[in-house]
Amino acid sequence: MYRGRLERDLSLWVGKGLLAQETAGALLAEYDSRPASFSLGRVLMALAAVLLAAAILLVVASNWEAIPRLVRVGGILALIWLVHIAAARMLAHGATAAAGGLLVIGAMSFGGAISLVGQMYHLSGDEQTVMYLWFAIATISAILFRSGAVAVVAGFLSWASFAVYLENNDTHWIGFDPWMAPLMAVIVIGLVRYTGAERARHLAYLLLIGWLAWLYTLYEEIAVALAFAIGGMAAFVLTAVPLPRIASLVRSAGAAPAFYSFLVAAIGFLLLHIEIEDGWRLVVLGVATLAASVLAIALHGRDNGAVRYLAYTTFAAEMLYLASVTVGSILGTSSLFLFSGLVVALVAWMVIRLERRFSANAQGERA
């Protein structure tokens, strides 16, 4: 998809005389020489590693009663050492796909070893502690080998840890453990930046959103929903602020920060609609939702397709909802749309002014 767009842009620039044909061909050849982001071989290797790791965990779960304890423990420890030594040798020879598969098996085997030892010797502890230890070991492995595959494993383990907490505590907030989910999400984001496993960042962002949604279920108050809407929009606007440090950090993280911050805001507006069903507050909320959608399109709509389509969806859903609740009065619906149009026009005017100011400042800095 991107290659086709790049080829069209290069052809357009060559046609306008902005770029030589030889330069365009060299740029396209350089792009084609890069390693592909998708590799069927790597995907199949990862699937094979997951299946082998699942087989190991199932063997551990069977408890192997006929095998002596020391043999069982020695076998699982030997497996862990062997796969990590083999992974190191594979990395030294440039076989990153095979090394990643072995490291996945090693990370999963750690969990099996923890369960096996606790199972055989009846050690005190609970599932939550096992999940924390397993996540910590996977994190260390990802750092030592700079493995994106193990960073993905750590991302899934963070989800599993949060699920274990919710199940064991009947979704109630108890002690310090609830804070571990956002902490794990931050660690996973750090692993993503260190290992380059860009797609794994979605696991961390989705975990944060899931954690926030769980917070709302604990309280179900309008203040929490309002905090989601305001906080999400504040974070979203911050991703568009042309400050050097913030801008470089946002660019290095791709489209995810803007999309997920606006998603949090959209969830907040949805929850507010659940809390507010009629009256003047509903009108204000509707206009605010429409204005937020327009602002999202103005700030990131051109370069961020995910934000653009989410804003389109939010805007369209809000208009349909407002039309449905005011359908009893044509005059009321007309007045609502008129007021909404004026507010959206005002937001558009403000965004245009800001864009011109930012553009003028950027030109002044280049001069």
Side-chain angles (χ1 to χ4, degrees), residues 173-219:
W173 184 293
I174 299 176
F176 180 78
D177 285 335
W179 291 108
M180 292 301 295
L183 177 60
M184 287 182 173
V186 172
I187 293 174
V188 171
I189 292 174
L191 291 178
V192 166
R193 299 186 68 86
Y194 180 70
T195 63
E198 296 182 359
R199 290 178 176 83
R201 65 164 47 96
H202 298 293
L203 294 171
Y205 287 125
L206 290 172
L207 177 59
L208 288 173
I209 291 177
W211 184 76
L212 290 174
W214 170 64
L215 286 184
Y216 177 76
T217 64
L218 293 178
Y219 302 101

Side-chain angles (χ1 to χ4, degrees), residues 84 106-107 110-111 114 132-142 150 157:
H84 281 87
F110 269 117
I114 297 169
Y132 291 158
L133 183 58
W134 198 352
F135 176 83
I137 291 171
T139 299
I140 294 172
S141 178
V150 183
L157 288 176

Side-chain angles (χ1 to χ4, degrees), residues 26-279:
L27 290 173
L28 197 60
E30 193 280 331
Y31 176 79
D32 290 335
S33 67
R34 299 178 185 177
S37 59
F38 174 81
S39 170
L40 180 60
R42 291 190 178 189
V43 171
L44 293 176
M45 186 68 71
L47 291 176
V50 171
L51 291 173
L52 292 173
I56 294 170
L57 293 178
L58 289 174
V59 170
V60 170
S62 68
N63 207 8
W64 329 348
E65 292 296 343
I67 303 177
R69 291 182 175 181
L70 290 179
V71 175
R72 280 181 270 172
V73 175
I76 195 72
L77 291 178
L79 176 64
I80 292 172
W81 276 101
L82 284 174
V83 296
H84 281 87
I85 291 173
R89 292 180 62 86
M90 291 290 184
L91 287 174
H93 289 84
T96 56
L102 290 172
L103 289 172
V104 169
I105 295 174
M108 300 298 287
S109 299
F110 269 117
I114 297 169
S115 300
L116 178 64
V117 173
Q119 182 186 86
M120 289 191 309
Y121 296 99
H122 306 289
L123 298 178
S124 61
D126 55 24
E127 293 177 288
Q128 196 67 65
T129 304
V130 170
M131 295 307 303
Y132 291 158
L133 183 58
W134 198 352
F135 176 83
I137 291 171
T139 299
I140 294 172
S141 178
I143 293 173
L144 291 178
F145 289 90
R146 202 159 194 165
S147 171
V150 183
V152 173
V153 172
F156 281 110
L157 288 176
S158 66
W159 268 97
S161 175
F162 186 46
V164 167
Y165 171 81
L166 294 178
E167 181 179 0
N168 290 344
N169 296 279
D170 196 24
T171 71
H172 294 128
W173 184 293
I174 299 176
F176 180 78
D177 285 335
W179 291 108
M180 292 301 295
L183 177 60
M184 287 182 173
V186 172
I187 293 174
V188 171
I189 292 174
L191 291 178
V192 166
R193 299 186 68 86
Y194 180 70
T195 63
E198 296 182 359
R199 290 178 176 83
R201 65 164 47 96
H202 298 293
L203 294 171
Y205 287 125
L206 290 172
L207 177 59
L208 288 173
I209 291 177
W211 184 76
L212 290 174
W214 170 64
L215 286 184
Y216 177 76
T217 64
L218 293 178
Y219 302 101
E220 294 188 3
E221 296 179 357
I222 192 172
V224 179
L226 188 62
F228 286 1
I230 295 176
M233 285 307 299
F236 176 78
V237 172
L238 191 62
T239 62
V241 173
L243 296 177
R245 291 184 179 180
I246 296 178
S248 61
L249 184 63
V250 170
R251 282 196 300 269
S252 65
F259 172 75
Y260 285 108
S261 58
F262 184 62
L263 179 59
V264 171
I267 293 174
F269 286 122
L270 174 62
L271 297 176
L272 286 172
H273 279 80
I274 296 175
E275 299 289 343
I276 302 173
E277 298 181 354
D278 52 27

